[in-house]
Amino acid sequence: MERRQLIKIGALGILSSCVIDKNYTFHNQSNIIKEINDIQIVDSYDVIVCGGGPAGIAAAISSARNGAKTCLIELYGCLGGIWTTGLLSNIIDYQNKNGIMAEIIDRLINSKAQIQAGNYDSETMKLILEQMCLEAGIHIRLYTRVVSAVKKGKRLVSIITESNSGREGWKANCFIDTTGNGDLAARANCNFEIGDPKSGKTQPMSLMGIISGVNQKDLAGTFLDGCISNSQNKENLRIEIEKLGFSPSYAIPTLIAIRPDLMAIMANHEYGVSALDAQQLSDATIHARAEVNKIIDGLRSLGGIWKDIRIVATGSQIGIREGRRIKGQYYLTKEDILNGARFNDAVCLVTYMADIHSLDHDKKGYTTDGIVVKAYEIPLRSLIAKDVDGLMMAGRCISGDFFAHASYRVTGNAVAMGEAIGVVAALSSRKKCLPSEIRWDEVACLLPYSKK
C-alpha cells in the first residue's frame, strides 16, 4: 500500500493514525481514549444521537418515542443540518416515505412553510424540528462537538465532547452517528471509505443562498424551478448570469421557490475540497460566499426583473455531498441500485437517481455515470457499524460504495434511515444487547416501511 499521509493530530491532541492507499481511500481515523476519570460526566442515557440533521432528528424522535432516554447532540445552534444551517430549502426522495418524514411534511404544510412539493422555509423548519424533539422528551444539546470516543474492547461506552461548557463525557447504552461525515464512527476507529474508487475525488460542495427582491410570478416559466426539475429554466438562468462576463461554478444554477418574494439559489460548486479538512472547508466557504454575492450583485446590475434582488442569507454550513462512508455489516453497491435490490431487513425504499456532481471543475454539472437506478431498498445491516459494537449510522455516512451513496445520500432517505435505527437503538438499550442481536420481526412491526 502506498502511504500518502501517516499521522494526524486528533481533536484532543492525541495522535490519530490515518492511512490512505494509492486511490486515496481512507481506512481508519481514530481518536480513542481509554479513561475519562478526569472528565466531567454530564449524564447517562439509553441512546445518544450525534448530529441533529435530518437523519439525527428522526433517530432521536424514534428512539424517544420507543421509550428510550435519548440525548441529541448538535454542533450548530439549531436542528436540521443541511435543511436549516445549510439552507437547502428542498427535500428530495420523500414522496414514498411514511412515518416521521410524512409528519414533518404535514407540519410544514399546516404552518404554511411549504408552498410547493418538497420546498420549505428554513426558519419554520427549525421551529418544527425543535418542537417535535421536545414533544418526544429528547434532551437537546446544541453548540457541542463530539471529539473522541471511549471503548471497552470493541464496545463504544462513552463519548467526549467540547463546547462552551468545556470538555465533557457522556455515557449511553447505544450510540448513533448522524454527523453526515461519520465523525463519531471515525473517532471510535471504524474503517471507512471516501471518494471515487478510482481517483479518490469527492463530489463538490455547494453553498446555498436565500434571496428576495424578485417575485415568483416574474420568474415562473423562465428562470424559476419549483421542484429542482426544470432543465430549461436552469439553462436560462445560466445564460442570464453569463451576461455578466463569467460562468457560475455550477453550470446548472437553480432557483427554488419558498414564498412569493423569497427563494433559494444554488449556483455554486467547490471542487476538490475534503470534508475532513477544516482549512479546506474554511477556504471553500469563503470562496463560495464571494461567488454567490458576485452573482446576485451582477444580476441586480442587469436591471429589469433583477433590479431589487438581494441576498437575505447564505448558509452557515456549506453543503457537503460526500464525507466518510463507514464500514457496516452490509455494503450497498452499484449493482444493488442497478438491480433494484430487496432485503429481508429493509428500512426504506430509495427511488432517487445516481446524482454524481462533477468531480472536476471543467464539467461543472452532474451526471448519472450511465447508471439507471431501479427502486431499491436499504438494509438495516448497512446502518450497523461492523468494527465497533453499540454504534449505528444513518444518513450519507452509512455503508455503501461511491455510486450507491450518490443515490441514497439525499435527505428524504436520511429521515427514513434515522427512524429505523432509532427503533433498533431503543430496543437494544431496553434489552441490554447489541443492535445486531435484535430480531428483525421486533423491529419491523414498529417501522413505517417493513416487510410486514
Side-chain angles (χ1 to χ4, degrees):
M1 179 185 297
E2 181 180 356
R3 293 175 180 249
R4 303 263 180 172
Q5 185 175 350
L6 298 179
I7 296 291
K8 283 188 178 288
I9 301 297
L12 293 179
I14 300 169
L15 287 178
S16 171
S17 64
C18 179
V19 180
I20 310 176
D21 67 18
K22 63 182 179 180
N23 291 328
Y24 302 94
T25 298
F26 285 63
H27 294 286
N28 66 64
Q29 186 179 16
S30 63
N31 189 5
I32 302 172
I33 63 177
K34 295 181 179 179
E35 300 290 340
I36 59 171
N37 295 333
D38 297 329
I39 298 174
Q40 177 187 356
I41 301 298
V42 176
D43 203 349
S44 294
Y45 292 88
D46 297 325
V47 177
I48 292 180
V49 181
C50 299
I57 58 98
I61 292 170
S62 177
S63 169
R65 287 179 178 177
N66 282 280
K69 180 184 178 184
T70 304
C71 176
L72 176 59
I73 297 175
E74 164 57 32
L75 174 61
Y76 292 98
C78 66
L79 301 178
I82 189 60
W83 278 349
T84 54
T85 58
L87 300 180
L88 181 59
S89 305
N90 181 266
I91 306 171
I92 299 175
D93 207 10
Y94 74 92
Q95 291 87 344
N96 63 353
K97 307 298 190 299
N98 297 314
I100 292 172
M101 185 70 260
E103 288 182 47
I104 292 171
I105 294 295
D106 286 345
R107 292 200 184 206
L108 287 169
I109 292 172
N110 292 335
S111 67
K112 297 182 171 54
Q114 187 188 39
I115 62 164
Q116 297 189 47
N119 297 357
Y120 60 86
D121 183 319
S122 293
E123 280 302 311
T124 307
M125 177 71 89
K126 292 177 187 178
L127 182 62
I128 286 172
L129 298 182
E130 289 172 358
Q131 289 171 340
M132 291 180 70
C133 287
L134 291 174
E135 288 166 8
I138 296 163
H139 176 74
I140 302 171
R141 169 63 85 86
L142 304 176
Y143 304 111
T144 301
R145 179 187 290 276
V146 176
V147 296
S148 191
V150 182
K151 294 166 62 178
K152 289 185 178 179
K154 193 179 175 184
R155 181 71 180 260
L156 180 61
V157 294
S158 303
I159 59 171
I160 308 300
T161 64
E162 290 191 354
S163 67
N164 286 359
S165 298
R167 187 172 298 176
E168 298 173 306
W170 309 70
K171 294 182 177 181
N173 297 325
C174 190
F175 294 86
I176 298 175
D177 188 333
T178 49
T179 61
N181 292 323
D183 291 336
L184 173 57
R187 303 295 187 266
N189 205 25
C190 286
N191 286 299
F192 61 88
E193 296 178 335
I194 187 168
D196 176 85
K198 294 180 180 179
S199 67
K201 295 179 179 179
T202 57
Q203 294 190 54
M205 301 178 185
S206 293
L207 185 70
M208 297 292 296
I210 302 296
I211 60 173
S212 66
V214 284
N215 199 289
Q216 285 186 37
K217 65 182 181 182
D218 295 326
L219 302 178
T222 306
F223 300 110
L224 184 64
D225 248 22
C227 306
I228 317 187
S229 59
N230 192 312
S231 58
Q232 185 57 57
N233 286 1
K234 297 178 183 182
E235 177 71 6
N236 293 341
L237 182 58
R238 181 186 62 80
I239 293 170
E240 196 79 349
I241 293 171
E242 289 180 343
K243 291 179 181 178
L244 306 171
F246 63 90
S247 296
S249 57
Y250 178 44
I252 316 173
T254 305
L255 286 174
I256 304 168
I258 299 175
R259 297 193 185 279
D261 59 348
L262 195 69
M263 53 204 72
I265 183 168
M266 180 171 66
N268 164 260
H269 264 180
E270 296 297 320
Y271 301 90
V273 182
S274 171
L276 313 188
D277 189 309
Q279 191 58 56
Q280 289 187 32
L281 283 168
S282 301
D283 295 342
T285 301
I286 293 167
H287 182 268
R289 189 167 286 117
E291 182 186 15
V292 175
N293 275 270
K294 181 180 179 181
I295 289 170
I296 299 306
D297 290 345
L299 288 174
R300 187 168 58 253
S301 72
L302 296 178
I305 61 173
W306 308 109
K307 65 182 178 62
D308 295 320
I309 190 172
R310 296 282 179 184
I311 291 181
V312 174
T314 52
S316 300
Q317 164 69 58
I318 195 168
I320 301 173
R321 292 186 174 87
E322 191 173 358
R324 303 178 185 90
R325 303 190 304 274
I326 305 302
K327 184 177 182 181
Q329 296 189 350
Y330 183 86
Y331 184 70
L332 207 60
T333 67
K334 177 180 180 179
E335 288 69 33
D336 287 329
I337 70 173
L338 283 169
N339 298 328
R342 293 292 192 268
F343 302 94
N344 290 332
D345 59 343
V347 300
C348 73
L349 183 71
V350 180
T351 59
Y352 193 56
M353 67 178 184
D355 183 9
I356 306 171
H357 284 242
S358 302
L359 304 182
D360 299 300
H361 188 276
D362 57 341
K363 295 180 181 178
K364 296 186 177 181
Y366 64 83
T367 178
T368 63
D369 202 38
I371 298 171
V372 179
V373 172
K374 184 178 179 181
Y376 64 95
E377 294 173 331
I378 295 177
L380 176 64
R381 286 163 292 159
S382 288
L383 281 57
I384 300 176
K386 185 174 181 62
D387 302 317
V388 175
D389 290 337
L391 175 64
M392 293 184 288
M393 309 83 66
R396 57 184 170 83
C397 64
I398 71 164
S399 181
D401 69 15
F402 174 80
F403 303 99
H405 165 273
S407 171
Y408 63 63
R409 65 177 172 82
V410 295
T411 58
N413 300 318
V415 172
M417 291 184 235
E419 182 167 5
I421 60 171
V423 169
V424 177
L427 291 174
S428 170
S429 178
R430 185 188 311 159
K431 292 176 174 290
K432 294 181 171 54
C433 65
L434 297 177
S436 57
E437 296 171 341
I438 298 295
R439 295 199 324 268
W440 173 245
D441 63 316
E442 294 180 88
V443 179
C445 65
L446 299 173
L447 295 184
Y449 180 83
S450 68
K451 295 293 186 180
K452 291 180 286 189

